Amino acid sequence: MPNDLTFYNLGALPSEPDYRDRKDAALAVPRPPSFKTDLGPVEVFNQEKIGICTSSIVTYVEWLYWKKTGVYTRLSRRFVYSVGKNLIDQADFEGSSLRTMLKVVYDYGVPPESVFPSAVNGMSHASYMDINAVPAAAWKEALKYRIGSYIGVPVDKESFLDGLYKYGLLYTRMEVGATWWTAPDGTVTWDPSKILPLRKPEFVISGHAISHLAYSPLGNTELRNSWGKEWGALGDGYHNPDNYPVTEAWAVTLDRYVNDLPAADQFKYTFTQNLTRGSRGEEVRNLQIALMILGFLDFVQPADRGYYGALTQEAVKKFLIAQKISPNYLGLYWGAKSRAAMNNLFAG
């Protein structure tokens, strides 16, 4: 089947970049040769309808709260999808982005399945995403299961494995094709011996959201799918990220990180000081905010701002190159030309 946007929009769409997303820029952690997260009682979900795979973020939330409390609560996929489509995407097509669903469980949470069931047999997509069907009790119960933060993880193999080991589970996106349900000879099957390891498709039919939970010494990574226990190895599968990588990866925590960055058109500041590696103070703090807004510096927590260190130096270098200013001393210094270029963008 050809790579056609008609099909591509029926699953997990690529997340639009947002400079306010927190990214993990310091993943390097010693990791063992193999690792697997115990998902405990978290059930394999059967999404049944095309396009709602992104609601598999609920697997992550269920796992986090089970780890925290020791009690497993099955949560509503339908709530997350309905809220995301209506309040964030504001669109009625089938499919969404991973970041949309992350924003839902960050802002609104997710209620127990008992309050708002996710069963979709015979239900149209329009009915499934009808936000007017969400009862008041679901909104109230959802707040009990909010997440504290979502963190972007780089998708190069080493960073991806570091992130998987560091956080225990990753909410991920892959581009899928018929290889997920056909053997190499073209036979349609979900038999794990015939479709695993997953093969990179020649033609991409859709994006798909899943959860990654393990890696092996052989280099394979294991995922939890949302097509029911009949698919693959009781709902799980594996692939080699060297030849079939993920396109997005997100970690989720219950710890709440304050994200205070303003919208790009709301930040105003006039830079007046020369700075250098090792400088500290308010001018550095505002420089870092400007660099984060422009996408040259990954998110820095408020408490960590105000120091001109290695990451800020690298961001300054990228900014200068983008402005076609010679990055003298590799971004080590912030002088008159640098200030003039930044003030042209942000001066009050």
Side-chain angles (χ1 to χ4, degrees):
M1 187 175 292
N3 188 354
D4 187 321
L5 288 178
T6 302
F7 296 96
Y8 195 75
N9 283 341
L10 292 180
L13 286 83
S15 297
E16 291 292 332
D18 188 324
Y19 65 86
R20 290 166 291 184
D21 286 340
R22 182 170 181 265
K23 303 178 181 66
D24 197 326
L27 275 173
V29 290
R31 66 173 191 264
S34 63
F35 169 79
K36 184 170 183 175
T37 287
D38 177 12
L39 291 182
V42 178
E43 301 175 2
V44 173
F45 183 67
N46 187 348
Q47 68 180 62
E48 298 181 26
K49 295 192 76 62
I50 292 174
I52 67 171
C53 61
T54 48
S55 63
S56 64
I57 182 57
V58 172
T59 294
Y60 211 141
V61 182
E62 289 176 342
W63 175 69
L64 286 173
Y65 276 94
W66 169 68
K67 281 203 311 174
K68 179 181 179 180
T69 67
V71 177
Y72 172 60
T73 303
R74 192 177 181 195
L75 302 175
S76 173
R77 268 79 174 168
R78 185 182 172 192
F79 176 89
V80 173
Y81 186 77
S82 177
V83 172
K85 293 304 298 178
N86 285 276
L87 300 188
I88 299 177
D89 288 347
Q90 298 184 23
D92 59 3
F93 53 78
E94 297 185 12
S96 189
S97 71
L98 276 64
R99 190 157 60 78
T100 287
M101 299 307 166
L102 289 162
K103 290 173 73 172
V104 172
V105 292
Y106 179 84
D107 290 336
Y108 302 98
V110 51
E113 180 80 359
S114 59
V115 180
F116 190 52
S118 298
V120 297
N121 284 326
M123 186 181 296
S124 68
H125 180 262
S127 296
Y128 188 81
M129 63 171 282
D130 181 9
I131 199 167
N132 294 316
V134 180
W139 293 100
K140 182 178 179 180
E141 290 297 309
L143 295 174
K144 299 177 181 178
Y145 297 94
R146 294 172 69 191
I147 62 171
S149 65
Y150 49 93
I151 303 161
V153 172
V155 294
D156 64 279
K157 181 179 178 181
E158 294 304 310
S159 296
F160 179 69
L161 296 182
D162 284 347
L164 183 52
Y165 176 64
K166 179 176 180 178
Y167 294 103
L169 199 65
L170 293 178
Y171 175 49
T172 53
R173 178 185 182 275
M174 296 182 71
E175 295 188 329
V176 304
T179 53
W180 283 56
W181 56 84
T182 57
D185 64 3
T187 305
V188 176
T189 179
W190 279 4
D191 184 339
S193 67
K194 296 179 179 179
I195 63 171
L196 301 179
L198 291 165
R199 311 178 315 275
K200 186 174 182 178
E202 183 177 355
F203 298 113
V204 174
I205 295 175
S206 175
H208 187 45
I210 55 269
S211 298
H212 275 80
L213 65 149
Y215 62 80
S216 74
L218 298 177
N220 292 320
T221 52
E222 184 176 335
L223 59 90
R224 169 68 54 91
N225 198 2
S226 57
W227 293 351
K229 291 185 178 180
E230 292 76 22
W231 182 86
L234 297 176
D236 291 346
Y238 65 94
H239 65 105
N240 190 318
D242 281 324
N243 51 45
Y244 191 5
V246 302
T247 61
E248 278 183 46
W250 299 87
V252 175
T253 75
L254 296 184
D255 297 322
R256 203 157 187 90
Y257 294 96
V258 177
N259 191 336
D260 64 333
L261 288 182
D265 60 356
Q266 297 298 311
F267 178 70
K268 301 296 180 186
Y269 188 84
T270 301
F271 295 89
T272 62
Q273 300 175 20
N274 290 335
L275 302 171
T276 187
R277 175 78 175 266
S279 295
R280 296 179 183 272
E282 186 70 8
E283 189 93 347
V284 176
R285 190 182 75 82
N286 282 284
L287 172 60
Q288 291 170 328
I289 291 173
L291 292 168
M292 284 188 281
I293 289 174
L294 294 171
F296 298 114
L297 180 64
D298 283 341
F299 187 81
V300 179
Q301 291 296 325
D304 298 327
R305 294 175 198 160
Y307 174 69
Y308 196 135
L311 295 178
T312 302
Q313 177 184 340
E314 180 64 21
V316 166
K317 182 179 76 171
K318 293 177 181 177
F319 170 74
L320 296 177
I321 292 173
Q323 292 291 317
K324 296 182 171 53
I325 300 172
S326 176
N328 291 333
Y329 305 101
L330 303 177
L332 187 63
Y333 296 107
W334 177 259
K337 290 183 180 179
S338 309
R339 290 198 309 273
M342 192 67 86
N343 285 336
N344 190 49
L345 299 173
F346 294 113

